[in-house]
């Protein structure tokens, strides 16, 4: 028995000494891959625990850095921006804004993404605060989805419908019903003087043609809603993104992008990573990407 105890103690001692070396080797291999991919090894990657940096980087690389994903890079970054803007996380706001621009996002697209994120927060707060009946919400949502499917399937009218003047709650409710086939309870519950401006804002950001296609607007809202979390908005945005043509792969990726953004926001804020250093590292990543993108002479 004593011999077995001695052997076990020796094995544990060897394992204890071997583990750091193995982790260090794995981390070193990870840093090399980061260097090859990003052109440098950012300090925030090196600050991550060595024991788990390999998995964290591989997830980061495959979801955010790779071009071989369901959602185009520009829209992935706009999703990350909308999520980080309402956390709020100044690290992630800077990174996703710069990465979105590097992938071709315009100022209007950036504003639209942030407006959608803030609007999702507005309605999530209101509906959760009022404890909106979920059964009634689902029933109204189903009616709206069916009405919109019929509208989408109907032949396009020879002449465009004239826009309704939205001046008060009555005209707003009429326009909502024309758009969705139903006036949701949460809209009817608003103070009368706020119905018209609330609908104008929702219609402009989410319904009318804007800088970002409807499918991606809904995916941005779904991503934000998923990490609030808001059950009402998740239900609605899942349906509306499908109406816009979003696939299951795109839906999953949008939600994962939200989770990924939350993950790094939590880490960077938790270790109080130097803000200026982080911004310089982001700038270095973008500079290296632009340099590599230039065709060689």
């Amino acid at each position: 028995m004593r011999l077995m105890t001695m052997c076990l103690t020796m094995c544990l001692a060897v394992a204890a000494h071997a583990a750091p070396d193995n982790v260090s080797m794995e981390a070193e291999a990870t840093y090399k891959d980061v260097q090859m991919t990003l052109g440098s090894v950012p300090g925030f990657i090196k600050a991550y625990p060595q024991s788990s940096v390999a998995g964290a980087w591989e997830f980061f690389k495959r979801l955010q850095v790779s071009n071989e994903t369901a959602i185009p890079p520009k829209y992935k970054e706009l999703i990350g921006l909308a999520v980080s803007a309402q956390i709020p996380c100044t690290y992630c706001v800077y990174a996703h804004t710069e990465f979105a621009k590097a992938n071709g996002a315009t100022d209007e697209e950036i504003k639209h993404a942030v407006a959608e994120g803030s609007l999702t927060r507005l309605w999530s707060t209101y509906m959760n605060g009022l404890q909106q009946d979920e059964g009634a919400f689902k029933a109204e949502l189903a009616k709206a989805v069916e009405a919109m499917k019929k509208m989408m399937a109907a032949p396009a009218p020879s002449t465009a419908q004239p826009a309704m003047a939205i001046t008060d709650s009555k005209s707003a409710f009429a326009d909502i019903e024309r758009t969705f086939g139903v006036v949701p309870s949460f809209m009817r519950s608003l103070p009368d003087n706020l119905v018209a401006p609330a609908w104008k804002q929702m219609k402009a950001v989410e319904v009318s043609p804007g800088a970002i296609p409807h499918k991606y607007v809904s995916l941005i809202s779904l991503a934000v809603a998923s990490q609030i979390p808001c059950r009402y908005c998740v239900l609605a945005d899942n349906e509306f993104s499908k109406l816009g043509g979003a696939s299951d792969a795109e839906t999953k990726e949008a939600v994962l992008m939200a989770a990924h953004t939350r993950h790094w926001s939590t880490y960077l804020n938790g270790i109080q990573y130097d803000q200026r250093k982080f911004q310089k590292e982001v700038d270095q990543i973008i500079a290296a990407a632009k340099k590599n993108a230039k065709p060689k002479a």
Side-chain angles (χ1 to χ4, degrees), residues 80-97 261-270 275 278:
L81 172 58
V83 170
S84 55
Q86 55 75 61
I87 292 175
C89 174
T90 53
Y91 301 100
C92 301
V93 165
Y94 184 82
H96 289 297
T97 298
T261 301
R262 270 287 189 177
H263 167 212
W264 282 100
S265 170
T266 302
Y267 189 73
L268 290 165
N269 281 284
Q275 292 267 359
F278 178 81

Side-chain angles (χ1 to χ4, degrees), residues 27-35 41 45-46 48 50 53:
E28 192 60 38
T30 299
Y31 299 148
K32 286 181 180 178
D33 189 46
V34 174
Q35 177 76 41
V41 184
I45 295 286
K46 282 190 174 181
Y48 208 80
Q50 283 195 5
V53 71

